[in-house]
Amino acid sequence: MTVALNESVSFSAPLSAGNKWRVKVIESGWGSSGYYGSPMLETFGPKVFKAGTKVFMNHPSRSESSDRPERDVHQLAGKLVSDAFFMENALYADVEFYSHYAPIIREMANDVGLSISALGNTRMGEAEGREGHIVESLVEDPLTSVDVVTVAGAGGKFISLYESYVGKGFVTD
C-alpha cells in the first residue's frame, strides 16, 4: 500500500553566516508514519531525496494539499544541493536556503526541526518490538520535500553550516 509519509526531526545549529547546511534528513527507526529500516533508507533514500528536492517552511494542511498540491511559492525556503547519502543509519544531504530565509533559519534553529513529505509503500509488521506500518520503499514523486516544522521526530535535524564540514571527511560537491 502506498501512503503519504511525514516524519520530523529536531536540529541545533551554530549562529554564523551562510546559506548552506548539512542536515540529517531522516534516521532509521520508528517515526510517526511507520518504521524506516536502515537497508530501506540506504536503498531508496538517495533515489528520492535528490539534489533539487525543495525545502518548504511547514507541511501543507490537508486543505492546502488538496487545493494546491504543488505547494505555495511563498513558503519555498530552499532546496537540497546534494543527493541524500546514507551514513550512520541516517540519510544526510546539503541544503541551501534562499537568502531571505537564511537569517530566519539561523534564528529559529534551536526551536524547529526538519520533516520529510514523501510517498512510501508500507505493510503491517513488527520491528524493534513494536507493531505498525513498516516502510518497505520510498517512491519517487515530484512533490517530495523536506520541510522546516515546529515539532520534530524521526531524527531529521540541522547538523552544521556547510562550510563547517569542509575537510572533516564528508563528501561535498
Side-chain angles (χ1 to χ4, degrees):
M1 164 173 55
T2 301
V3 298
L5 305 169
N6 291 299
E7 299 299 344
S8 305
V9 296
S10 64
F11 69 92
S12 61
L15 297 176
S16 181
N19 295 1
K20 289 185 183 176
W21 301 79
R22 172 67 43 95
V23 300
K24 185 186 291 185
V25 176
I26 187 170
E27 64 186 11
S28 62
W30 282 98
S32 58
S33 297
Y35 181 79
Y36 299 84
S38 289
M40 186 281 301
L41 288 176
E42 185 172 19
T43 300
F44 295 99
K47 297 174 186 176
V48 171
F49 295 99
K50 297 177 185 176
T53 298
K54 291 177 174 62
V55 176
F56 288 92
M57 299 299 280
N58 297 311
H59 282 315
S61 68
R62 287 185 187 184
S63 64
E64 289 169 330
S65 290
S66 175
D67 295 342
R68 188 183 298 140
E70 74 280 4
R71 310 283 294 267
D72 184 346
V73 71
H74 297 289
Q75 296 300 312
L76 182 58
K79 63 186 173 189
L80 298 187
V81 292
S82 72
D83 292 345
F85 59 93
F86 188 80
M87 180 177 72
E88 300 173 353
N89 295 315
L91 285 178
Y92 292 83
D94 296 325
V95 173
E96 184 170 15
F97 288 97
Y98 299 120
S99 59
H100 58 288
Y101 273 111
I104 295 168
I105 295 301
R106 280 192 302 276
E107 185 173 349
M108 294 188 323
N110 293 317
D111 298 317
V112 296
L114 294 173
S115 180
I116 66 165
S117 181
L119 295 177
N121 292 310
T122 67
R123 65 171 171 79
M124 292 304 290
E126 183 179 336
E128 297 179 358
R130 263 178 73 182
E131 290 187 16
H133 290 277
I134 307 298
V135 181
E136 294 186 312
S137 65
L138 297 170
V139 177
E140 292 181 60
D141 180 70
L143 300 180
T144 295
S145 65
V146 177
D147 302 336
V148 179
V149 296
T150 57
V151 178
K157 60 183 176 179
F158 284 82
I159 303 299
S160 184
L161 282 172
Y162 181 83
E163 292 82 3
S164 300
Y165 276 93
V166 174
K168 297 200 188 253
F170 288 96
V171 176
T172 59
D173 292 355

